Amino acid sequence: ERVLELARRLSRGEALGTEEEEEEEGCQRHREPLEVFCKEDGALLCAICRESRAHRAHTVLPLPEAAREFEEQIQAGLQTLKDDRDKLLELREAEMRRNW
């Protein structure tokens, strides 16, 4: 959810937040800003968590890159849904013409 919100903010060209927001959104354990996204766990991590045993061997991405990846996935899924909708509308229209 946080990554999607970050992706929305970045796509609108908004800043990632003020210092107050960063403190509120920071790591609850270490009170550090969240800087990377762990792909294996799907979690935002601070620098200290990133170096912990739990995440050391995991693939991590900087937040802007992770947000961009998720945005691309969402856009691809949205395009698929639009294409499916267009096909269904065409079928509906053809069926309505056939019934007339």
Side-chain angles (χ1 to χ4, degrees):
E1 186 175 313
R2 282 182 163 174
V3 172
L4 291 176
E5 179 57 30
L6 289 171
R8 285 187 201 110
R9 285 181 178 179
L10 289 172
S11 70
R12 291 190 302 250
E14 294 178 15
L16 290 181
T18 64
E19 289 181 36
E20 269 183 21
E21 287 176 341
E22 287 176 9
E23 287 177 12
E24 290 177 11
E25 294 178 3
C27 177
Q28 292 180 359
R29 175 183 262 170
H30 302 110
R31 304 285 184 220
E32 295 286 325
L34 300 171
E35 299 173 345
V36 293
F37 178 76
C38 176
K39 290 181 88 170
E40 280 80 354
D41 294 330
L44 298 173
L45 305 175
C46 72
I48 298 170
C49 289
R50 165 65 182 111
E51 296 304 318
S52 70
R53 285 187 198 141
H55 300 283
R56 191 176 299 148
H58 291 177
T59 303
V60 296
L61 298 172
L63 285 183
E65 189 176 328
R68 196 170 27 260
E69 271 191 26
F70 279 104
E71 185 177 3
E72 289 170 1
Q73 290 175 5
I74 290 168
Q75 291 298 332
L78 182 61
Q79 187 59 47
T80 301
L81 290 172
K82 286 179 180 179
D83 293 345
D84 290 347
R85 182 195 64 200
D86 291 344
K87 288 177 188 174
L88 287 172
L89 289 173
E90 287 175 17
L91 287 172
R92 179 178 160 215
E93 187 177 322
E95 186 64 26
M96 289 176 71
R97 273 191 259 128
R98 194 182 74 141
N99 286 336
W100 280 98

